[in-house]
Amino acid sequence: MELDLLYEIDAPKPWPGKHPYGQKAVEQRAYHEAIEQIKLADRIGFHTSWHVEHHFREGRSHSPAPEVLLGALSQVTEQIRLGFGVTLTPHPFTPPMRVAEKVATADILSKGRVEWGTGRSTPMEQTAFGVDREESRGQWKEAIEAIVQMWDQEYFEFHGKYLDFPRRMVTPRPYQDPHPPCWMAANSNDSAALAGKYGLGLLSFTTLKPLEELQKQVDQYRAAARNPEPLTNVTQNKIASYTLVHCTPTMADAEEDGIWESVLWWYQNLAEFTIEWELPHLPPAEQEKAFPELRRSREEGFNPRAFNDADMIIVGTPEQCIEKMKRYVDIGVDELICYKQFGHLSHESIMRSLDLIGREVMPEIEAYSRQVAAKRKASA
């Protein structure tokens, strides 16, 4: 199992001073600190740094243009792969030809280090961009099919249900041949199975999901991936799952860093934002199904230590983090995406945590992953 990173560019409120100056100061610091953290992760040996595309999510996610950040990172890193986590592909967000152009450009600048995640977003963003929720999956699928053809054909022409595009040469071409690996973000077992069916990598962007539930998603994906109907020219069978991660020499150090306050901020921001902005856009029946773990936790009261005890988040000493991460290896996760820059954790504490993971955690996880892979191969 490889270790990845995820960045949303948190800008926690309250913002100091008069608007917009306080907001600007927090955002600018978060971007520059993220770059410094990723430069360190590149030297340490993290596999991929994933960057979201989100719009209008104050506080938790100020990253609407990941292609710009990935372009900057391509010039200050050497080994770490750079992931769109994700491009929002329903057509009103960004026309497919623009997605093809920006992903290919980032791939050239990074000399072939791009991972291309795709997704449909949530009702709040879809409504603002005029995306028809019922049509969003069809648009997502058609966009991927069209983009791959744009990269493959010298001159491209397309007349589909949603895209009517005249004969043009779409430039530039990706650095990777035939194109960057494609992933799909999924929150449900059905979506995970769809990713497997289409031969796409699975980005399991789940929210506080028990590992038993994650195991079900992994199983659904693997079953569907056995006989894929590939949507792109790069067939994948890989699962990447994300959670909050903070590693310190002692648990007392983590608490001194403010870990529980930061986890609580992250959770409360997500819960309040979801209730205010996401659920009102859903029909009542869908509201009841949406974010079940989030609702249950909110009703029962949120205790960040309980989520850590259940390994839904990974906080603790190197030894504790290793044991928690081993459970993800056992489940069958290929890449564990570590969400590091969240809440009010200081830049210095995040840098210390990254360094500690690189020195003490990563070698142990690599060795354990090789052992598990050998046992699976022997019993296959």
Side-chain angles (χ1 to χ4, degrees), residues 101-146:
E101 292 167 344
K102 67 184 184 182
V103 172
T105 302
D107 200 40
I108 291 171
L109 291 175
S110 66
K111 296 183 179 179
R113 289 187 280 141
V114 161
E115 301 282 331
W116 175 37
T118 66
R120 298 184 292 144
S121 188
T122 55
M124 178 264 199
E125 290 178 318
Q126 290 171 343
T127 300
F129 278 85
V131 175
D132 186 325
R133 183 169 172 79
E134 297 301 318
E135 301 289 341
S136 63
R137 177 158 285 169
Q139 292 179 355
W140 164 84
K141 181 174 181 289
E142 184 184 84
I144 294 174
E145 292 171 331

Side-chain angles (χ1 to χ4, degrees), residues 189-367:
N189 293 350
D190 290 344
S191 294
L194 192 66
K197 172 186 175 182
Y198 288 144
L200 307 176
L202 172 63
L203 291 173
S204 180
F205 286 170
T206 53
T207 303
L208 300 178
K209 177 170 284 190
L211 292 189
E212 293 76 15
E213 293 299 314
L214 178 58
Q215 178 72 74
K216 294 176 184 177
Q217 193 177 85
V218 169
D219 293 343
Q220 289 276 78
Y221 174 81
R222 297 296 188 201
R226 291 191 191 103
N227 296 293
E229 302 170 12
L231 199 58
T232 77
N233 296 324
V234 180
T235 302
Q236 294 216 88
N237 187 347
K238 295 180 71 176
I239 297 169
S241 181
Y242 100 107
T243 191
L244 309 182
V245 176
H246 192 62
C247 184
T248 51
T250 68
M251 186 59 81
D253 291 318
E255 293 179 347
E256 187 174 336
D257 288 341
I259 184 60
W260 303 129
E261 294 83 355
S262 290
V263 174
L264 182 61
W265 174 88
W266 179 86
Y267 172 83
Q268 287 179 330
N269 181 280
L270 176 62
E272 292 167 2
F273 186 90
T274 299
I275 292 165
E276 180 178 1
W277 291 102
E278 298 289 5
L279 297 186
H281 296 290
L282 294 173
E286 288 192 48
Q287 288 186 25
E288 292 303 314
K289 297 178 184 178
F291 310 101
E293 189 66 25
L294 199 61
R295 282 177 168 274
R296 184 185 68 77
S297 303
R298 182 171 178 263
E299 291 166 1
E300 297 177 5
F302 181 72
N303 179 0
R305 292 173 178 82
F307 283 84
N308 189 46
D309 293 341
D311 298 343
M312 284 187 268
I313 61 176
I314 298 175
V315 173
T317 65
E319 294 76 18
Q320 290 170 323
C321 290
I322 289 166
E323 290 307 308
K324 292 174 182 294
M325 289 181 183
K326 283 181 177 179
R327 291 198 64 191
Y328 288 82
V329 177
D330 295 338
I331 285 173
V333 172
D334 299 294
E335 299 180 24
L336 179 64
I337 305 176
C338 304
Y339 192 176
K340 301 286 296 163
Q341 188 195 52
F342 62 90
H344 298 280
L345 292 174
S346 70
H347 173 60
E348 292 74 21
S349 73
I350 296 169
M351 294 289 276
R352 290 195 299 267
S353 177
L354 286 168
D355 179 68
L356 193 57
I357 290 172
R359 286 188 288 107
E360 299 192 25
V361 176
M362 197 174 290
E364 294 295 325
I365 293 302
E366 289 175 353

Side-chain angles (χ1 to χ4, degrees), residues 140-160:
W140 164 84
K141 181 174 181 289
E142 184 184 84
I144 294 174
E145 292 171 331
I147 290 165
V148 170
Q149 292 179 42
M150 291 175 194
W151 288 335
D152 185 55
Q153 299 174 9
E154 182 177 7
Y155 288 91
F156 168 78
E157 184 174 355
F158 194 90
H159 304 287

